């Protein structure tokens, strides 16, 4: 706990964001393994990876508008909770459609 007290609020925010991105983007190399274990074909794996990126891109502008309206802090916290939940749900996904739903929510 002493480590966190020594960090400034900006340093702590940078650490949290860094850890979030490390965790969020570690699923990309593992996604084909999960999808193949769930019975996905090579084409379906590509579609799943593309769907995650498309949803992230499409939701960026509405997310920014929501952040301006409701406050950035709330949306950042909601985003971190969703990211953590989808990170835990990803290895538990046994079917391709469930995996697609988890990735869509993660995007």
């Amino acid at each position: 706990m002493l480590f966190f007290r020594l960090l400034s609020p900006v340093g702590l925010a940078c650490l949290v964001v860094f850890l979030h991105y490390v965790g969020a983007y570690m699923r990309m190399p593992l996604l084909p393994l999960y999808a193949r274990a769930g019975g996905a074909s090579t084409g379906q794996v590509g579609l799943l990876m593309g769907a995650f990126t498309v949803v992230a891109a499409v939701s960026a502008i509405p997310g920014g508008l929501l952040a301006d309206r409701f406050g950035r802090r709330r949306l950042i916290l909601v985003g971190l909770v969703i990211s953590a939940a989808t990170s835990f749900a990803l290895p538990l996904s046994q079917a391709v459609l469930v995996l697609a739903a988890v990735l869509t929510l993660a995007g």
Side-chain angles (χ1 to χ4, degrees), residues 3-15:
F3 174 74
F4 291 113
R5 283 190 218 159
L6 295 176
L7 282 177
S8 68
V10 173
L12 183 60
C14 289
L15 179 65

Side-chain angles (χ1 to χ4, degrees), residues 49-76:
M49 293 181 80
F52 169 79
T53 306
V54 167
V55 170
V58 169
S59 65
I61 291 176
L65 294 173
L66 288 172
D68 289 340
R69 185 169 189 175
F70 297 109
R72 288 178 180 87
R73 175 179 258 180
R74 286 183 188 165
L75 256 62
I76 288 171

Side-chain angles (χ1 to χ4, degrees), residues 36-55:
R36 296 297 262 170
S41 67
T42 304
Q44 288 174 327
V45 171
L47 286 173
L48 287 171
M49 293 181 80
F52 169 79
T53 306
V54 167
V55 170

Side-chain angles (χ1 to χ4, degrees), residues 72-86:
R72 288 178 180 87
R73 175 179 258 180
R74 286 183 188 165
L75 256 62
I76 288 171
L77 291 175
V78 168
L80 287 173
V81 168
I82 290 172
S83 180
T86 56

